[in-house]
Amino acid sequence: MGHEQRNVLLPGDVRMPLLGFGTWQVTGKAGYDAVLAALDAGYRHIDTATMYGNEAEVGRAVRDSGLRREDVFITTKLPPRRVGREGETIEASLRALDMAYVDLWLIHWPPSAPANSIPAWRQLLAARDEGLARAVGVSNYRTAQIDELIQATGETPAVNQIRWGPFLYDRRRHAEHQDRGVVLEGYSPFNTTDLADPVLTRIAAAHGVSPAQVVLRWHIDHEIVVIPKSVTPQRIRANADIWGFSLTAEEMRDIDALAR
């Protein structure tokens, strides 16, 4: 398995690997083992969050991997209930990770009081300007909510992390992100997908790969960041092994059409 990786460029010349490893519900020793296996398989991007309760395990796995800190892209997220306590939250994340900075810090969900969204965004920008996060963005935001942040601050979120997959494909929403210069990052690529769908099994067979690998490659070929999660070493390796094939324009269109 080669350690190829494709990146997308965020503001500030920050390179974000298009393939990342998700760690939701992956905690304790199992979490540590999974992150270590992912780094061993060639992942160079790990996604965590304050709410996941596994930042310490993620940080320890990165250190124990022997990789240099600057060679691994780390995302964490601010829980909505911590709005108003952004500074102490990022400090706590960095302490748990035992890192001087994260590569990306996201507002995990739009705050329940919409008026809090812009102040929270200003605090993320301040953390970026202090060097605590190299880039900042949002998660689970609608386009109109992103526009509010841009209009209020003149600063565009680098990333919006949302549920995504072939069956959720929304060409217009993807275009709205591209028009604004926001990188679309998809989570739960398999939970939202029927991997037994005949379109996916046919394309997988044509390339000698699995339907799951086709789904991941579909994200990559759309320049959409994707963060599959698994605790099975074999599956972690298979999910990272998507660089030996690419999808034709026709195959991409067929997969896009699954969302109808």
Side-chain angles (χ1 to χ4, degrees):
M1 148 82 217
H3 287 184
E4 300 96 324
Q5 186 53 276
R6 271 176 58 190
N7 301 299
V8 63
L9 205 56
L10 307 183
D13 207 31
V14 176
R15 287 177 191 288
M16 180 180 196
L18 279 164
L19 177 69
F21 184 71
T23 67
W24 180 52
Q25 295 177 325
V26 182
T27 55
K29 181 166 190 315
Y32 167 83
D33 289 343
V35 174
L36 204 54
L39 294 167
D40 186 58
Y43 287 89
R44 293 296 177 263
H45 164 187
I46 309 292
D47 180 88
T48 181
T50 296
M51 282 169 75
Y52 298 172
N54 61 12
E55 289 170 318
E57 287 79 9
V58 167
R60 200 167 83 247
V62 171
R63 280 190 302 287
D64 291 353
S65 72
L67 293 165
R68 299 180 309 170
R69 167 67 188 92
E70 57 267 31
D71 291 338
V72 185
F73 186 99
I74 302 288
T75 301
T76 194
K77 311 184 195 86
L78 171 82
R81 65 172 191 281
R82 308 277 307 183
V83 165
R85 292 181 291 166
E86 292 83 1
E88 65 180 82
T89 302
I90 189 66
E91 295 289 357
S93 284
L94 294 174
R95 255 198 319 279
L97 287 160
D98 195 13
M99 293 174 182
Y101 65 91
V102 289
D103 298 279
L104 181 64
W105 193 29
L106 306 177
I107 302 175
H108 204 149
W109 291 89
S112 48
N116 290 336
S117 195
I118 290 162
W121 178 234
R122 290 192 197 280
Q123 290 302 310
L124 264 72
L125 295 169
R128 180 199 65 190
D129 293 345
E130 284 173 49
L132 303 179
R134 294 175 68 217
V136 288
V138 295
S139 183
N140 301 299
Y141 269 58
R142 298 192 315 276
T143 303
Q145 295 171 314
I146 291 173
D147 284 343
E148 285 171 12
L149 302 184
I150 299 171
Q151 283 154 12
T153 64
E155 294 263 16
T156 302
V159 171
N160 184 25
Q161 184 184 118
I162 57 178
R163 270 167 77 90
W164 198 257
F167 288 79
L168 300 177
Y169 183 64
D170 181 339
R171 186 184 307 280
R172 201 184 78 189
R173 196 168 188 199
H174 187 200
E176 287 168 351
H177 284 75
Q178 290 173 312
D179 292 345
R180 288 157 180 77
V182 178
V183 169
L184 178 54
E185 178 176 17
Y187 68 82
S188 297
F190 305 136
N191 302 16
T192 58
T193 304
D194 173 11
L195 292 173
D197 185 279
V199 170
L200 295 177
T201 54
R202 166 176 60 80
I203 293 171
H207 292 279
V209 297
S210 70
Q213 287 169 313
V214 168
V215 168
L216 296 176
R217 188 70 211 198
W218 171 83
H219 285 76
I220 302 293
D221 287 347
H222 267 312
E223 297 266 291
I224 290 171
V225 179
V226 62
I227 48 171
K229 82 175 212 286
S230 174
V231 290
T232 320
Q234 181 189 357
R235 200 165 294 142
I236 289 171
R237 278 194 300 275
N239 288 346
D241 189 13
I242 55 171
W243 309 106
F245 72 103
S246 60
L247 301 171
T248 67
E250 189 185 6
E251 288 169 338
M252 291 292 285
R253 280 195 298 272
D254 289 347
I255 298 170
D256 292 352
L258 291 172
R260 294 218 177 101

